[in-house]
Amino acid sequence: VSVSSNAHYSVSKLDPSLARGKTRSLSGWSEYCHSKAAMAAMAMELAHRNQEVQSVAVHPGLVSTGLWRRIPQPFRALVTRRMVPSSIGALPLVRAATDPLLPSGCYLTPEGVRAPGRAVEDSAARALLWESSLRWVESYQ
């Protein structure tokens, strides 16, 4: 189970170079979107490369977690007031981990299975990200 986000839909192209290094933008939002696209892409690529495992990318919904801790009050309360608590946000993750009927490589949201963004569906870009990841962890093996 890989935790992604609907924020990945804003990514037009997977870029492995964005997976390493410092945050380049002021807010970090662009990097967040790319990281969530990479999570979904890696889940799909794992499903493609290994049919022996169940691999699912999950968008838990808008969840009030520590991610918002840097927003000062009272603005944080305004930003998070329509978000679900983490106990509710965990439900799609639990389903992904326990539902044997979910297709491997799918993208699951609280509303159900949904098609991922175009960047994630690009099989060549997914393969490049996979191979890049293998090189990055090579020295740790």
Side-chain angles (χ1 to χ4, degrees):
V1 176
S2 300
V3 180
S4 186
S5 166
N6 281 350
H8 90 273
Y9 285 104
S10 68
V11 175
S12 59
K13 183 180 179 193
L14 289 174
D15 183 353
S17 71
L18 294 176
R20 297 175 57 107
K22 295 185 178 188
T23 300
R24 298 173 189 164
S25 69
L26 183 61
S27 69
W29 182 249
S30 175
E31 291 83 359
Y32 176 82
C33 294
H34 278 86
S35 73
K36 295 307 176 178
M39 293 300 291
M42 292 297 277
M44 286 185 73
E45 191 63 15
L46 176 59
H48 171 74
R49 290 176 182 250
N50 187 345
Q51 285 78 39
E52 305 272 325
V53 298
Q54 177 82 359
S55 178
V56 177
V58 180
H59 166 62
L62 292 174
V63 184
S64 180
T65 64
L67 179 67
W68 313 104
R69 69 186 167 279
R70 291 190 176 176
I71 299 174
Q73 290 291 7
F75 304 109
R76 184 181 329 141
L78 289 171
V79 169
T80 61
R81 73 179 182 182
R82 293 203 171 151
M83 294 180 182
V84 298
S86 56
S87 58
I88 300 299
L91 294 176
L93 299 155
V94 172
R95 179 179 177 203
T98 60
D99 186 346
L101 300 179
L102 283 175
S104 190
C106 74
Y107 181 71
L108 180 66
T109 73
E111 292 78 34
V113 175
R114 183 175 174 191
R118 286 184 308 216
V120 174
E121 289 185 323
D122 182 342
S123 60
R126 284 196 323 261
L128 177 62
L129 180 62
W130 184 274
E131 296 303 325
S132 297
S133 297
L134 289 177
R135 282 193 308 278
W136 297 331
V137 300
E138 202 170 59
S139 65
Y140 300 102
Q141 295 178 336

